[in-house]
Amino acid sequence: MEMINAIGRRKASIARVYLTKGDGNIKINGKDYKEYFPQIHIQATITDPFRTVEAENIYDLNVNVNGGGFKGQAEAVRMAISRALVKLNEEFRKPLKDRKYLRRDARIVERKKYGKPKARKSFQFSKR
């Protein structure tokens, strides 16, 4: 099996995943994923696609991710892993699609407008 790559995006984060046959090592930006994401619930987010298709500890991952915060990065990695698994085996598409791992969540931060302190927040209104 050759190397399979895929891209996942979420908020301002972009993740590039390179999937190879191996024994379940996941490296994110050169570090182990448990070191890069110390929160347990975020680690679960990254390994969810493998649990969904029952393919744990079969593939090695090398991930490059940048932009955004840790939650956006984790969800971008999840999407990229899901896309790589579908490239690997088309039968994985239905369970991953049912869990919405292949859907791009397009919600991003709204831009700040002039005359306002934030995107929609206004200063206190005074009639007199």
Side-chain angles (χ1 to χ4, degrees):
M1 179 191 122
E2 74 286 347
M3 185 181 289
I4 294 173
N5 65 327
I7 294 177
R9 295 182 184 91
R10 171 74 170 101
K11 292 186 174 182
S13 303
I14 300 172
R16 289 181 294 281
V17 167
Y18 303 96
L19 185 104
T20 55
K21 199 83 165 163
D23 55 349
N25 294 327
I26 301 175
K27 293 264 189 210
I28 299 178
N29 292 347
K31 296 179 183 176
D32 185 55
Y33 80 104
K34 291 181 179 177
E35 185 182 338
Y36 192 82
F37 294 118
Q39 300 93 339
I40 293 162
H41 65 284
I42 298 293
Q43 293 171 11
T45 301
I46 288 171
T47 56
D48 276 346
F50 292 116
R51 269 197 301 277
T52 303
V53 298
E54 286 130 21
E56 293 177 289
N57 301 326
I58 300 173
Y59 303 108
D60 282 348
L61 286 176
N62 193 4
V63 182
N64 295 329
V65 63
N66 63 337
F70 65 90
K71 185 145 171 60
Q73 285 189 352
E75 292 183 12
V77 170
R78 182 179 69 187
M79 181 185 194
I81 291 170
S82 300
R83 285 180 168 178
L85 287 170
V86 169
K87 280 185 184 178
L88 181 71
N89 186 351
E90 197 63 36
E91 293 173 8
F92 293 160
R93 184 174 198 79
K94 176 139 179 53
L96 291 169
K97 195 171 180 182
D98 290 344
R99 305 270 318 256
K100 295 189 172 86
Y101 293 159
L102 297 172
R103 179 174 289 174
R104 164 73 161 105
D105 192 345
R107 295 175 293 172
I108 58 169
V109 177
E110 192 174 340
R111 79 172 193 88
K112 182 191 174 303
K113 278 59 164 206
Y114 56 87
K116 295 193 175 248
K118 289 165 66 174
R120 296 189 178 205
K121 184 177 184 180
S122 296
F123 294 109
Q124 185 173 345
F125 178 72
S126 174
K127 192 180 272 191
R128 289 177 193 84

